[in-house]
């Protein structure tokens, strides 16, 4: 499959089917293209606005037979105002300091990442990722990718989020955190801080990847209103009760 951008052709491939990580008894396949060379940034800008995500040097979107449950979503930064419950999340984590770093993997990050998978996603597709796999996930990027870290007063790494930065927003690639602080809603806190970083940088959107109705793993994204979804009619507001 091939389409034409403003200045160069884009070739796509479709992956083989694998079990869906979000909905039981369904199969997943993706449409993918490589991000490489001097056009990688321009291509990523184009595709991210069409609901694509990045993994390593690949841009992808779900293309599952008979299923359109994965909906690309992003937060409208200018119109976002935290709810009372989200303000409480900010207050509970007021001790954490946010630091933006280059996308260089560290042993400290990997240890937190590994504990997070063991405690929160021990049945997920990332289980078993070793230090080299983690290093590749972080460092193998042809675009502007940064690691956002969150540390407590003793400089302990409490949470981190791998992020892609583009002309119209920040994309949250993958976040992980100390699972023993579950009561602090660290996942939501990370999103709130990324919203602040996007606002400070003058960027209009925070891209959150895919929302899947009926998937408990994805349902937290509906807390961040106004949320926009991408479909056949482009980006449109996702109703809070959808």
């Amino acid at each position: 499959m091939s389409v034409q951008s403003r200045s160069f052709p884009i070739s796509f491939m479709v992956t083989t089917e694998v079990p869906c990580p979000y909905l039981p008894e369904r199969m997943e396949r993706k449409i993918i293209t490589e991000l490489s060379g001097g056009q990688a940034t321009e291509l990523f800008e184009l595709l991210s606005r069409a609901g694509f995500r990045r993994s390593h040097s690949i841009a992808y979107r779900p293309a599952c037979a008979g299923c359109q449950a994965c909906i690309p979503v992003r937060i409208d930064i200018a119109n976002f105002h935290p709810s009372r419950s989200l303000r409480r999340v900010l207050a509970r984590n007021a001790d954490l300091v946010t630091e933006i770093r280059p996308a260089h993997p560290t042993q400290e990050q990997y240890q937190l990442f590994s504990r997070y998978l063991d405690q929160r996603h021990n049945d997920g597709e990332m289980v078993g990722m070793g230090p080299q796999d983690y290093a590749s996930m972080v460092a193998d990027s042809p675009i502007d990718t940064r690691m956002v870290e969150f540390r407590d007063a003793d400089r302990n790494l409490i949470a981190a989020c791998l992020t892609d930065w583009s002309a119209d927003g920040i994309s949250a690639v993958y976040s992980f955190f100390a699972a023993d602080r579950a009561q602090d809603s660290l996942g939501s806190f990370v999103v709130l801080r990324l919203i602040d970083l996007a606002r400070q940088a003058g960027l209009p959107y925070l891209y959150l990847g895919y929302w899947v109705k009926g998937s408990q793993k994805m349902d937290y994204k509906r807390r961040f209103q106004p949320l926009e979804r991408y479909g056949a009619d482009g980006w449109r507001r996702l109703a809070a009760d959808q």
Side-chain angles (χ1 to χ4, degrees):
M1 177 182 178
S2 177
V3 299
Q4 186 75 31
S5 76
R6 293 179 181 176
S7 57
F8 53 88
I10 308 172
S11 297
F12 294 93
M13 295 181 291
V14 178
T15 66
T16 57
E17 289 189 323
V18 296
C20 175
Y22 304 118
L23 298 176
E25 301 180 1
R26 296 197 190 185
M27 300 298 289
E28 174 193 59
R29 69 180 183 185
K30 296 183 177 77
I31 180 172
I32 65 173
T33 191
E34 186 176 4
L35 302 171
S36 61
Q39 299 166 333
T41 297
E42 182 182 351
L43 181 55
F44 175 72
E45 298 271 356
L46 176 71
L47 293 176
S48 66
R49 294 171 188 173
F52 278 73
R53 300 284 286 167
R54 182 194 64 82
S55 177
H56 301 269
S57 59
I58 298 295
Y60 68 91
R61 265 197 69 177
C64 308
C67 181
Q68 296 181 335
C70 290
I71 301 174
V73 291
R74 68 186 186 185
I75 298 171
D76 177 359
I77 301 297
N79 293 300
F80 172 79
H81 301 285
S83 64
R84 180 179 300 177
S85 64
L86 289 176
R87 292 196 296 272
R88 288 197 293 266
V89 171
L90 287 170
R92 285 199 299 272
N93 296 284
D95 63 312
L96 299 184
V97 175
T98 304
E99 300 176 351
I100 304 175
R101 300 188 176 277
H104 296 158
T106 67
Q107 182 65 25
E108 183 184 30
Q109 291 170 8
Y110 175 70
Q111 290 173 350
L112 180 64
F113 171 78
S114 183
R115 291 195 302 269
Y116 172 78
L117 290 183
D118 288 344
Q119 297 175 26
R120 294 291 295 265
H121 297 289
N122 57 16
D123 60 346
E125 56 186 356
M126 289 185 168
V127 169
M129 284 181 62
Q132 291 185 334
D133 300 314
Y134 173 79
S136 177
M137 180 183 79
V138 173
D140 184 8
S141 171
I143 62 171
D144 182 1
T145 299
R146 311 174 197 179
M147 181 66 76
V148 182
E149 295 184 344
F150 305 87
R151 296 179 178 275
D152 65 16
D154 296 321
R155 301 292 300 159
N156 297 309
L157 183 65
I158 302 301
C161 186
L162 187 65
T163 58
D164 290 336
W165 294 61
S166 64
D168 76 334
I170 301 172
S171 178
V173 178
Y174 195 81
S175 63
F176 50 97
F177 47 84
D180 58 356
R181 286 183 54 157
Q183 73 281 2
D184 294 333
S185 302
L186 285 169
S188 292
F189 173 73
V190 168
V191 174
L192 289 166
R193 288 298 294 122
L194 293 180
I195 291 171
D196 286 342
L197 292 177
R199 183 176 286 121
Q200 292 167 19
L203 300 173
Y205 301 110
L206 173 62
Y207 290 85
L208 292 182
Y210 301 109
W211 173 70
V212 181
K213 186 176 183 179
S215 170
Q216 186 175 2
K217 294 179 181 179
M218 298 290 193
D219 201 50
Y220 76 93
K221 298 178 183 181
R222 290 193 301 116
R223 300 182 72 184
F224 301 92
Q225 298 292 332
L227 197 63
E228 296 183 353
R229 54 87 177 163
Y230 184 81
D233 52 353
W235 289 99
R236 296 289 184 271
R237 185 70 58 88
L238 179 72
D241 60 350
Q242 184 169 343

